[in-house]
C-alpha cells in the first residue's frame, strides 16, 4: 500500500513539474512569435497601451505613470526576442530531465 501511495506522489510531482516547465516554454514561444510578428509588421513603436487605464506608456516601463499599474522588470525581457529564446533554451533541459525522470518512474525504456 505504501508503495502505491509513494508511486502516485512521485508521478504527481513529476507531472506537475513537467506541466510547469512546458507552460514556461509555451509562454516563451508565444512571446517569441508575437515579438517576431510585431517586428515583421513594422510595429516598432517604443510605446504600448496600458492594460489598466489605456494610456500610452513605454514598453520598458516598470509602472504606468498614470494609474500606477506594476509591470515589473520582466516586461522588457518578455518584449525581447532574445529573452524569449533564452527562456526556451533554459527550459528545454528541465523538460528533458523531468520527462526522463517520469519515464524512469514508470520503468519505460527508450530504445
Amino acid at each position: 500500500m505504501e508503495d502505491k501511495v509513494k508511486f502516485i506522489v512521485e508521478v504527481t510531482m513529476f507531472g506537475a513539474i513537467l506541466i510547469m516547465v512546458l507552460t514556461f516554454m509555451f509562454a516563451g514561444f508565444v512571446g517569441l512569435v508575437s515579438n517576431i510578428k510585431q517586428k515583421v509588421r513594422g510595429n516598432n513603436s517604443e510605446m504600448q497601451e496600458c492594460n489598466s487605464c489605456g494610456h500610452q506608456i513605454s514598453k520598458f516601463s516598470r509602472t504606468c505613470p498614470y494609474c500606477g499599474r506594476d509591470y515589473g522588470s520582466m516586461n522588457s525581457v518578455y518584449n525581447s526576442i532574445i529573452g524569449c529564446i533564452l527562456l526556451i533554451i533554459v527550459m528545454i533541459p528541465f523538460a528533458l530531465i523531468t520527462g526522463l525522470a517520469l519515464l524512469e518512474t514508470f520503468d519505460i525504456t527508450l530504445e
Side-chain angles (χ1 to χ4, degrees):
M1 182 68 172
E2 283 185 26
D3 292 337
K4 288 182 181 180
V5 171
K6 183 179 176 186
F7 177 75
I8 291 172
V9 168
E10 287 177 352
V11 169
T12 304
M13 282 182 15
F14 284 127
I17 292 170
L18 187 61
I19 289 172
M20 184 177 64
V21 169
L22 292 175
T23 301
F24 279 116
M25 287 177 63
F26 180 73
F29 181 74
V30 168
L32 178 67
V33 169
S34 87
N35 289 331
I36 290 173
K37 190 171 153 183
Q38 283 180 349
K39 302 291 184 201
V40 169
R41 277 193 303 180
N43 187 5
N44 293 330
S45 171
E46 294 295 319
M47 303 296 279
Q48 70 179 8
E49 191 174 296
C50 175
N51 294 337
S52 295
C53 67
H55 284 91
Q56 291 291 316
I57 60 171
S58 170
K59 286 183 178 180
F60 306 105
S61 65
R62 291 183 178 204
T63 59
C64 175
Y66 301 100
C67 67
R69 172 152 186 214
D70 183 25
Y71 285 95
S73 62
M74 291 303 292
N75 192 31
S76 61
V77 174
Y78 184 75
N79 286 332
S80 163
I81 292 174
I82 295 172
C84 292
I85 291 171
L86 287 175
L87 176 67
I88 293 169
I89 289 172
V90 166
M91 286 295 141
I92 287 173
F94 289 116
L96 290 175
I97 291 169
T98 307
L100 290 174
L102 189 59
L103 291 175
E104 186 178 303
T105 301
F106 284 115
D107 293 329
I108 299 172
T109 58
L110 298 174
E111 295 179 14

